[in-house]
């Protein structure tokens, strides 16, 4: 709620990314770093496409800009997130037992 975008723009972007990630869970190997990299990159690009489309359509509807920066910054942020995703998720996977999480199907 503290961004310059109208409420709902990020919700649509994250909703589409969530649907994309949920639809790929049976196809990808969840523990592989390349999976984390590629899903983070594609999710970031999808968010960038939604926000770039919004930046293009918003002035047509309301007659003024929404205040967001360029698409290059959005896509650079997607690449940065994709680079960090395997590192962060690798650390979190190693800490799984610390938090008491179990694998599916075990008691």
């Amino acid at each position: 709620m503290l961004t310059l975008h109208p409420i709902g723009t990020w919700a649509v972007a994250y909703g589409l990314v969530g649907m994309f990630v949920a639809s790929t869970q049976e196809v990808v190997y969840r523990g592989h770093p390349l999976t984390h990299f590629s899903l983070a990159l594609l999710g970031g690009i999808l968010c960038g496409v939604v926000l770039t489309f919004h930046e293009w359509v918003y002035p047509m509807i309301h007659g003024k800009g929404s205040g967001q920066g360029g698409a290059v910054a959005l896509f650079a942020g997607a690449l940065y997130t994709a680079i960090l995703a395997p590192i962060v998720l690798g650390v979190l996977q190693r800490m799984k037992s610390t938090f008491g999480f179990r694998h599916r199907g075990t008691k």
Side-chain angles (χ1 to χ4, degrees), residues 74-104:
L74 290 171
F75 294 112
L79 183 61
Y80 176 71
T81 300
I83 291 169
L84 288 181
I87 298 166
V88 171
L89 290 171
V91 169
L92 290 175
Q93 283 180 347
R94 295 195 191 284
M95 296 175 61
K96 196 183 310 187
S97 62
T98 305
F99 294 111
F101 295 129
R102 296 183 208 148
H103 295 288
R104 290 183 178 174

Side-chain angles (χ1 to χ4, degrees), residues 14-97:
Y14 287 155
L16 289 173
V17 170
M19 288 185 341
F20 170 72
V21 170
S23 70
T24 62
Q25 70 181 358
E26 295 178 3
V27 181
V28 297
Y29 176 59
R30 297 188 327 178
H32 199 278
L34 186 59
T35 301
H36 298 300
F37 176 83
S38 61
L39 286 178
L41 182 62
L42 290 174
I45 289 172
L46 185 58
C47 282
V49 167
V50 168
L51 296 173
T52 302
F53 179 75
H54 172 264
E55 185 68 24
W56 176 64
V57 170
Y58 190 86
M60 288 185 223
I61 296 171
H62 297 286
K64 58 182 177 180
S66 64
Q68 175 60 29
V72 174
L74 290 171
F75 294 112
L79 183 61
Y80 176 71
T81 300
I83 291 169
L84 288 181
I87 298 166
V88 171
L89 290 171
V91 169
L92 290 175
Q93 283 180 347
R94 295 195 191 284
M95 296 175 61
K96 196 183 310 187
S97 62

